[in-house]
């Protein structure tokens, strides 16, 4: 990994861990909001009005956090209103790149070579991690946000008057319930797979991986009598979980040593995950080749020879039993 210090790229060889060997994810730094009228959101500055064609997404198909934004772009009918570029799956010494020798298509806005150039174009003295997703404002030439959980909430409602799509995955009457279930799933599952995989001590790994499977067992129980995490209503909580489940058997089970059980060993979770994968518009947001390639090729501290596994053949198109 690497990061920017006062606008200068600096390489690193390890992921951030504490003295006890625990992986520590840094908070996103850029937290402005697109709103229907450009008024300020819960954080950040005023002036980001929802307008067709004004905003651009930089994402990695491999990244579960970026994948959330692609899903909401599809669910909310934003493909014609928000453009997108996909970085190359190999994240090496210079971080995410726009190399075009494989599946990436380059930077269509500026012809940049590296994603960190997008950050310094927004702020020449930026310091911090260079992560995806990035929501870019073409009008003001700045980054609006690099926090996926907030970008999906912008997509959920800010553009409704433009698209006419009023599907609501963060309904006001159950926001408290959504936040309540998001929190443990984020800590133990979404981030738990990373805490397991990037641990550098046995104790840190044991703690993280135990919490991960305890939480998956808990979710399996919830889904035994509910269609979705909060009952019959599909919400952002389901989509936030889905991007981790999608990557579980093909990456996290082997690469991150999350191998007590596979997703396909959980009957309810496996049916649930296939239903979401087969939801209209979702399958085109998924690229298993890039997912597998990115993790195994980019994390040389875990896979120093960069061997890409063949993986089991899993049929995500198989019929689920959820009606």
């Amino acid at each position: 990994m690497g990061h920017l210090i006062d606008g200068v790229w600096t390489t690193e060889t390890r992921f951030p861990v504490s003295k006890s060997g625990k992986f520590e994810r840094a908070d996103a730094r850029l937290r402005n909001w697109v709103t229907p009228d450009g008024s300020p959101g819960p954080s950040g500055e005023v002036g980001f009005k929802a307008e067709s064609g004004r905003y651009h997404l930089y994402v990695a198909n491999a990244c579960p956090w970026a994948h959330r934004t692609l899903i909401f772009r599809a669910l909310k009918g934003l493909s014609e209103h928000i453009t997108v570029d996909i970085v190359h799956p190999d994240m090496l010494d210079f971080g995410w790149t726009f190399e075009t020798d494989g599946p990436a298509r380059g930077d269509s806005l500026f012809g940049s070579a590296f994603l960190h150039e997008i950050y310094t174009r927004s702020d020449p003295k930026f310091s911090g991690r260079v992560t995806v997703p990035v929501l870019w404002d073409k009008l003001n030439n700045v980054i609006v946000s690099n926090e996926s959980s907030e970008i999906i909430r912008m997509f959920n409602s800010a553009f409704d008057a433009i698209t006419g799509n009023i599907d609501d995955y963060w309904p006001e009457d159950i926001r408290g319930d959504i936040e309540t279930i998001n929190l443990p799933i984020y800590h133990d599952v979404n981030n738990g797979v990373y805490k397991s995989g990037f641990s550098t001590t046995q104790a840190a790994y044991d703690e993280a991986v135990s919490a991960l499977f305890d939480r998956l067992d808990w979710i399996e129980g919830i889904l035994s009598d509910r269609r979705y995490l909060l009952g019959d209503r599909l919400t952002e909580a389901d989509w936030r979980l889905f991007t981790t489940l999608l990557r579980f058997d093909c990456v996290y089970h082997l690469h991150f040593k999350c191998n007590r059980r596979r997703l396909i060993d959980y009957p309810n979770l496996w049916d649930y995950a296939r239903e979401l994968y087969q939801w209209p518009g979702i399958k085109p947001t998924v690229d298993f080749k890039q997912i597998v390639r990115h993790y195994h090729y980019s994390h040389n501290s875990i896979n120093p020879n960069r061997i890409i596994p063949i993986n089991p053949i899993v049929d995500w198109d198989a019929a689920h039993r959820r009606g």
Side-chain angles (χ1 to χ4, degrees):
M1 289 189 67
H3 61 280
L4 287 166
I5 301 177
D6 292 329
V8 178
W9 182 255
T10 303
T11 58
E12 293 178 344
T13 58
R14 295 181 59 184
F15 287 86
V17 295
S18 68
K19 291 182 180 180
S20 63
K22 296 181 179 181
F23 171 68
E24 297 181 330
R25 183 177 299 280
D27 291 336
R29 296 277 307 280
L30 305 169
R31 311 286 283 271
N32 297 302
W33 287 71
V34 176
T35 59
D37 60 359
S39 59
S43 61
E45 300 176 358
V46 66
F48 298 100
K49 181 181 179 180
E51 298 178 76
S52 180
R54 176 172 170 176
Y55 299 99
H56 186 79
L57 263 178
Y58 290 103
V59 299
N61 275 338
C63 172
W65 319 101
H67 191 187
R68 297 173 175 180
T69 65
L70 286 177
I71 286 173
F72 271 74
R73 178 174 175 264
L75 290 172
K76 294 293 296 183
L78 291 168
S79 298
E80 295 181 0
H81 304 282
I82 297 174
T83 51
V84 64
D85 280 325
I86 298 169
V87 297
H88 196 278
D90 298 350
M91 186 182 69
L92 304 174
D93 289 344
F94 290 93
W96 295 111
T97 77
F98 293 105
E99 291 182 27
T100 56
D101 62 339
R105 298 172 297 184
D107 173 18
S108 64
L109 296 186
F110 308 110
S112 308
F114 309 108
L115 184 64
H116 67 71
E117 295 176 278
I118 302 300
Y119 277 71
T120 54
R121 183 177 289 273
S122 177
D123 176 3
K125 292 294 185 180
F126 181 83
S127 293
R129 300 283 174 190
V130 173
T131 60
V132 286
V134 169
L135 183 62
W136 180 265
D137 178 3
K138 300 177 190 177
L139 180 63
N140 294 317
N141 278 322
V142 294
I143 294 173
V144 179
S145 176
N146 66 346
E147 172 50 58
S148 66
S149 65
E150 294 171 359
I151 293 173
I152 65 174
R153 289 183 178 175
M154 299 175 213
F155 288 2
N156 181 66
S157 60
F159 296 84
D160 285 4
I162 295 171
T163 64
N165 183 322
I166 58 172
D167 295 344
D168 190 0
Y169 299 96
W170 193 43
E172 189 169 358
D173 63 312
I174 57 169
R175 286 180 182 176
D177 296 329
I178 291 173
E179 296 286 21
T180 296
I181 205 164
N182 274 345
L183 188 63
I185 289 177
Y186 166 76
H187 284 296
D188 296 338
V189 181
N190 300 135
N191 201 35
V193 292
Y194 288 88
K195 289 190 287 187
S196 301
F198 291 139
S199 293
T200 58
T201 65
Q202 188 69 49
Y205 165 77
D206 289 345
E207 179 181 335
V209 81
S210 297
L212 165 65
F213 282 100
D214 286 348
R215 188 62 61 191
L216 289 175
D217 292 345
W218 176 73
I219 299 169
E220 174 74 2
I222 287 175
L223 295 175
S224 67
D225 59 7
R226 297 184 195 174
R227 183 155 191 162
Y228 306 116
L229 291 175
L230 293 172
D232 292 330
R233 300 168 75 174
L234 183 63
T235 72
E236 71 163 43
D238 298 291
W239 294 115
R240 285 170 51 125
L241 173 60
F242 169 71
T243 58
T244 299
L245 299 181
L246 186 82
R247 291 157 173 79
F248 200 89
D249 287 4
C250 66
V251 172
Y252 304 141
H253 179 266
L254 170 67
H255 186 61
F256 280 171
K257 305 180 186 69
C258 300
N259 57 355
R260 176 180 290 167
R261 280 181 289 278
R262 302 161 299 174
L263 175 64
I264 62 174
D265 296 326
Y266 288 97
N268 298 318
L269 270 166
W270 177 221
D271 277 339
Y272 163 85
R274 292 204 311 286
E275 180 186 0
L276 297 186
Y277 173 78
Q278 294 168 25
W279 199 267
I282 300 306
K283 192 183 305 186
T285 71
V286 177
D287 190 322
F288 284 113
K289 288 185 178 180
Q290 288 198 50
I291 290 169
V292 174
R293 168 83 184 187
H294 162 70
Y295 285 92
H296 293 92
Y297 198 83
S298 302
H299 300 160
N300 64 327
S301 62
I302 297 176
N303 186 25
N305 292 316
R306 296 195 164 104
I307 304 298
I308 310 299
I310 60 172
N311 277 334
I313 297 173
V314 177
D315 187 2
W316 279 86
D317 289 305
H320 56 78
R321 299 168 294 176
R322 302 175 66 77

